[in-house]
Amino acid sequence: MVETTLSGAQHHILTNDYASEWMGIEVLKLDDGHATIRMHLRQEMLNGFGMAHGGMIFAFGDTAFALACNPANPTPKQAANITVASGVDINFIKPAFQGQVVTAVANRRASTGRSGLYDIQIYAASPDADATDPTASDPGELIAEFRGRSRTISKK
């Protein structure tokens, strides 16, 4: 299961996240209100036009959103709650193709009470880009902008 990652970052919500495991998502960085992840685009992630299926890019951005919304090491009080999407918008800017490495960078923009606002930028780079350096300053070309609205609710 996806739990310990290249950066050594761990997030409990990935323990049983079979979709993220299938996508091959790697966590590069986790901070309060922030997550950076990446994956390699495979043939089975393409649509009939030979480009990344919009649903794959959306699911990828949604995983970054979830990681940024939920603390990696919750306190006992935080562990009684989960933060979920109350709504999202995505704008597809450019296509991505098989073999490219996509990176999502999620950041909290605002948080009030149980509600939050997050922006996620999704980039694509050639497969020969320096995929071994999780701190690389150039994640590639911007291919999508994802804006998520969150709501913290009880686990019960």
Side-chain angles (χ1 to χ4, degrees):
M1 222 2 100
V2 179
E3 189 173 348
T4 302
T5 59
L6 288 180
S7 65
Q10 295 183 359
H11 205 298
H12 63 95
I13 68 171
L14 294 175
T15 301
N16 294 309
D17 185 342
Y18 301 105
S20 293
E21 179 183 28
W22 179 83
M23 289 189 291
I25 291 175
E26 301 169 283
V27 178
L28 302 180
K29 185 176 180 187
L30 292 172
D31 285 316
D32 181 39
H34 172 85
T36 301
I37 62 173
R38 75 168 170 220
M39 75 176 180
H40 296 266
L41 286 174
R42 304 184 313 262
Q43 182 178 13
E44 60 270 24
M45 297 173 164
L46 307 180
N47 64 20
F49 298 112
M51 62 183 72
H53 191 288
M56 292 290 119
I57 300 302
F58 181 92
F60 181 63
D62 190 48
T63 297
F65 176 36
L67 293 170
C69 288
N70 289 280
N73 299 301
T75 65
K77 182 178 178 182
Q78 290 171 324
N81 298 313
I82 57 173
T83 302
V84 297
S86 63
V88 299
D89 297 296
I90 190 165
N91 292 293
F92 299 104
I93 298 164
K94 294 182 77 166
F97 299 96
Q98 182 176 349
Q100 285 189 303
V101 176
V102 289
T103 302
V105 179
N107 288 294
R108 181 187 306 127
R109 295 294 176 219
S111 180
T112 303
R114 296 185 301 140
S115 299
L117 183 66
Y118 293 77
D119 285 334
I120 298 91
Q121 289 76 39
I122 303 170
Y123 303 89
S126 66
D128 59 339
D130 188 5
T132 61
D133 182 5
T135 62
S137 60
D138 183 13
E141 292 187 275
L142 184 66
I143 62 164
E145 287 271 358
F146 181 115
R147 173 156 274 195
R149 295 169 302 283
S150 69
R151 188 74 172 170
T152 300
I153 60 173
S154 172
K155 275 187 176 177
K156 297 179 183 180

